[in-house]
Amino acid sequence: MGEVLLEVKDLRTQFSTEHGIAPAVDGISFQLEKGKTLGIVGESGSGKSVTSLSIMRLLQEPAGRIAGGQILFKGEDLVKLSEKEMQNIRGAHISMIFQEPMTALNPVYTVGEQIAKVFMVRQKMKKKQARQKAIEMLALVGIPSPETRVDNYPHQLSGGMRQRVVIAIALACNPELLIADEPTTALDVTIQAQILELMKNLQKKLKTSMIMITHDLGIIYEMADEVLVMYCGQIVESGSMQEVFHHMLHPYTEGLMHSIPRLSDEAEELSTIEGIVPSLYELPKGCRFHPRCPYARKLCQTEEPELLEVSPGHCSRCHRYSDMWKEG
Amino acid sequence: MSDPEIVAAYEAKWGLDQPLPVQYINYMKNLFQGDLGTSIRTKQPVLSDLAQYIPATFEMATFATLISIILGLLFGLLSAARHNKLPDHVLRVISLMGISIPAFWLSILCLYFFYLRLGIVPGSGRVSAEWLGASFPTGFLIFDAITYGEPDLLRDALSHLILPSFVLAASTMGILTRTVRSSMLEAMQQDYVRTARAKGLSEGRVLRHHVLKNGLIPSVTMFGLSYGSLLGGTVLVETIFSYPGIGLYAYKAASTLDFPAIMGTTLFIAAVNVLMNFFVDIIYALIDPRIRY
Ligand SMILES: Nc1ncnc2c1ncn2[C@@H]1O[C@H](COP(=O)(O)OP(=O)(O)O)[C@@H](O)[C@H]1O
Ligand code: SF4
Ligand SMILES: [Mg+2]
C-alpha cells in the first residue's frame, strides 16, 4: 500500500436551517493514497459537495459546520486548523475545481489576472513574472494562443475554455490534492471528454492526487482507482473501481449503473432509480434507501444497516450481506 | 370679464393665436437657436433666468450628491459587512427613513432643530444679508470664495448649503445604501468568490478584489437613476429654504402659470438627466468589461 495523503475519519457536517438540523455528511471515512484518484458518486443531494467543501473548510458558516470527525492531510487534522492556517493550505496544497465554469471566474478581471494572482499571493512573484507564468499555465491546459488569451475576460471564452482556466488556477501552485466537484457536468459531451482527458494527463504529469466527484458512473470508470458511493450523507458502497464495477454489492449502485445511457440502448429503456432522494430533515427509519429499494424487506424498515466489509477492501451498507438477512 | 381686444392683442404678442402645431414648431425653431422664450413673470429671456439660477442649484446638487454617495457607500458597505447584526438593522432603518420621509417634512424638522432650537445654521437663502449686494464673478459661490480668498464668504455659503443639501440627499442616500448593501451581499454569494477563497486568498483580499468591484457596478446605475429625482427634489427644498436656484424658479413659474419658464426649466432638468445617464453609461463601460459600446 502506498503512502496515505488524506484520511477522513467519521466526518460529520451539519447545516442548521429553519427546518432543523440537516446531517448533510453523516459519518464518512475514507483514505486516499498519493497519486491515486478517488471517485465519489451519488445522486444530487447525497452530500458530495458538502464533503469536498468540508475538506477545503469552505462551508458557509455559521449555518454549515463540521460537527465531528477528523480530516487528516499528511497527518495534520484540518478540522483543528485556524482560518489563517487553512488559507496556506488552500490553493497551495489542496485545490478545488467547481461545477459551474460559467460563474466560477470573476467577470471583471482577465483570466490572466486571475491566474497570476495565485502566483503573486502564493509565491510573492512580481506582476510581470506572474503574467508569464499565467501564460505558461494557459498553454499547459491546452488553450491555443495563450499570449493573447491571457488578456481575455471570462465572457470572451467558451464554457470548455473557462473550465480549462479554472483548472489552470487550481493547478497553478502544483497542489498535492485536487478536488474536482462535477468538473464537466455543465459542459456538453465532446468538451466533457476533452476536459477529462486533460485532467488525466495533467494528473500523470504533475503526480497530483485527486478526488473526482460526479453523479456519472461512466466518469468514475474512466478516472477513478477507488470508489465511494454516497447516499443521504453516508457511504453505501466503497472499494476499488474494478471491484465495485464487476462485483457490485449495493442495490443503490446497481440503480446508478442502470441509469447510465449506453449507445446500444433504446432511449426509452433507460431507467432511473424510482422515487426521490429523501429530505435530510425526514430520513426514513432503518435503511435510508428502503423506500426505493427493490430488495427491501421488513428488516430494512426498522434496522439501520452497518457498512460491512463483504470482501477484502470492498464494503457495503446493506442487510443482504448480514447474518440477519439469511435468518430472516 | 376681460376686454376681448386686450386678450387678442396679448394672444398675438405671445403667438397664442396660432394653431397648436404651429406654436410647437415655432417653439422648437427658437429652441434650436438657443431661445427658450421670454418669461411672463420676470420679463427676461428664460435662458438668462436659468443661467442666473443654475450655479446655485448646481452647488446644492453637487453637495447633495457628495453627501449621498459618501454616506450611501459607507452605510451600504457597513451594512453588508455586518449583515443581520445590529449595525445592519440600524442602517436599514435609517435608509428606509431617508427614502420614505417626505422632503418637505424633513426640511421643516431640520429647520426646527438646527435653526430654531440650536441656531447653528442660517434658516434660509444662499448667503447672509451682508453679502446680498455683492456681485460674484462666476456665480458659483464656493468656487468664487476659494479663488478670491474669502474664507468668511466660504463659511457663510457652506453654512447655508449644508441643511438643504442634506435634506435633498436623504432619499438618494437611502436608495444607495440599500443598493450597495444588496449588491455586495449578492456578490459575496457568487461562485467566483468561492473560487477566490479556494485559491487561498485571505478574507480581506477576497472582499477587496472580488466582492467590491462587482458589488459597486449596480450602484453606479442606481445613482444615475436617482440623480433625476434629486434634481426634481430641488423644487421643494429650494422653496422651503428660499434658496434662489432653479427649483425656486420652477416653483414660482408654476404658481404664476409662467409657461415659457415652466417649459424651459423642465427641458433643462431633462437635459441634465440625459447627460447624467450618458456619463453613467460611460463609467459603466469603464468598470464592467462585459459592456462595450
Ligand atoms: N448551504 C446549505 N444550507 C443548508 N443545507 C445545505 C446547504 N448545502 C447543502 N445542504 C444540504 O446538504 C445536502 C447535500 O448537498 P450537496 O453536498 O451539495 O449534494 P451533492 O451530492 O449534490 O453535491 C443537500 O441536499 C442539502 O440538504
Ligand atoms: S438494507 Fe434492505 S433496503 Fe437497504 S439497500 Fe439493502 S436490501 Fe435495500
Ligand atoms: Mg454537488
Side-chain angles (χ1 to χ4, degrees), chain A residues 136-162:
Chain A
E136 282 171 31
M137 286 310 298
L138 287 176
L140 183 73
V141 294
I143 289 189
S145 48
E147 295 86 2
T148 53
R149 287 299 187 186
V150 71
D151 293 321
N152 277 179
Y153 286 95
H155 71 275
Q156 294 168 305
L157 302 178
S158 67
M161 286 293 167
R162 285 187 218 187

Side-chain angles (χ1 to χ4, degrees), chain B residues 43-82:
Chain B
K43 310 286 187 293
Q44 299 287 322
V46 173
L47 198 63
S48 66
D49 276 353
L50 286 180
Q52 185 189 340
Y53 294 122
I54 282 171
T57 298
F58 179 81
E59 263 178 8
M60 184 150 83
T62 308
F63 228 68
T65 302
L66 285 180
I67 294 176
S68 64
I69 290 184
I70 293 172
L71 288 186
L73 273 183
L74 209 69
F75 289 176
L77 292 178
L78 200 66
S79 213
R82 296 276 173 276

Side-chain angles (χ1 to χ4, degrees), chain B residues 121-280:
Chain B
V121 290
S124 65
R126 204 177 167 208
V127 282
S128 301
E130 59 204 274
W131 298 97
L132 272 183
S135 74
F136 304 104
T138 65
F140 294 93
L141 286 188
I142 309 284
F143 180 79
D144 288 345
I146 292 172
T147 46
Y148 289 87
E150 290 278 6
D152 288 341
L153 176 61
L154 182 65
R155 213 171 303 125
D156 190 52
L158 283 177
S159 70
H160 279 86
L161 209 50
I162 183 80
L163 213 53
S165 306
F166 172 75
V167 172
L168 194 57
S171 90
T172 314
M173 180 275 293
I175 293 171
L176 268 184
T177 302
R178 297 176 76 168
T179 314
V180 171
R181 174 183 182 273
S182 65
S183 49
M184 291 296 286
L185 287 178
E186 196 184 310
M188 284 180 202
Q189 297 295 320
Q190 296 300 311
D191 285 354
Y192 53 76
V193 171
R194 201 175 49 181
T195 308
R197 292 207 174 97
K199 281 189 215 174
L201 300 191
S202 67
E203 203 52 37
R205 264 218 172 79
V206 170
L207 288 180
R208 264 178 285 129
H209 288 274
H210 292 273
V211 177
L212 198 59
K213 201 168 170 188
N214 286 284
L216 289 185
I217 290 174
S219 313
V220 173
T221 327
M222 192 43 89
F223 180 75
L225 292 176
S226 48
Y227 192 78
S229 63
L230 191 139
L231 278 185
T234 58
V235 176
L236 264 173
V237 174
E238 288 185 2
T239 305
I240 292 172
F241 285 88
S242 308
Y243 186 92
I246 298 285
L248 188 58
Y249 180 70
Y251 166 75
K252 285 182 179 164
S255 55
T256 56
L257 290 186
D258 182 355
F259 284 110
I262 295 174
M263 278 156 72
T265 322
T266 312
L267 215 63
F268 169 74
I269 291 186
V272 172
N273 223 343
V274 169
L275 210 66
M276 196 62 202
N277 278 293
F278 175 68
F279 282 134
V280 164

Side-chain angles (χ1 to χ4, degrees), chain A residues 15 17 22 24 42-51 60 63 181-182 213 280-281:
Chain A
F15 286 94
T17 66
E43 283 168 295
S44 178
S46 49
K48 307 181 298 293
S49 296
V50 174
T51 302
Q60 283 194 335
D181 188 357
E182 314 230 16
I213 293 174
L280 290 176
Y281 305 100

Side-chain angles (χ1 to χ4, degrees), chain A residues 13-20 22-25 40-53 59-61 63-64 99 181-182 213-215 230 232-233 277-281, chain B residues 189:
Chain A
T13 303
Q14 302 176 340
F15 286 94
S16 317
T17 66
E18 58 206 52
H19 310 291
V25 171
I40 303 183
V41 66
E43 283 168 295
S44 178
S46 49
K48 307 181 298 293
S49 296
V50 174
T51 302
S52 51
L53 290 174
L59 293 163
Q60 283 194 335
E61 288 168 354
Q99 174 170 344
D181 188 357
E182 314 230 16
I213 293 174
T214 173
H215 61 265
M230 281 187 75
C232 292
V277 182
S279 155
L280 290 176
Y281 305 100
Chain B
Q189 297 295 320

Side-chain angles (χ1 to χ4, degrees), chain A residues 293-314:
Chain A
C293 178
Y295 307 95
R297 288 187 188 174
K298 213 170 193 90
L299 172 68
C300 306
Q301 294 169 17
T302 52
E303 295 294 320
E304 194 165 349
E306 304 266 319
L307 189 63
L308 288 179
E309 187 162 14
V310 178
S311 63
H314 192 175

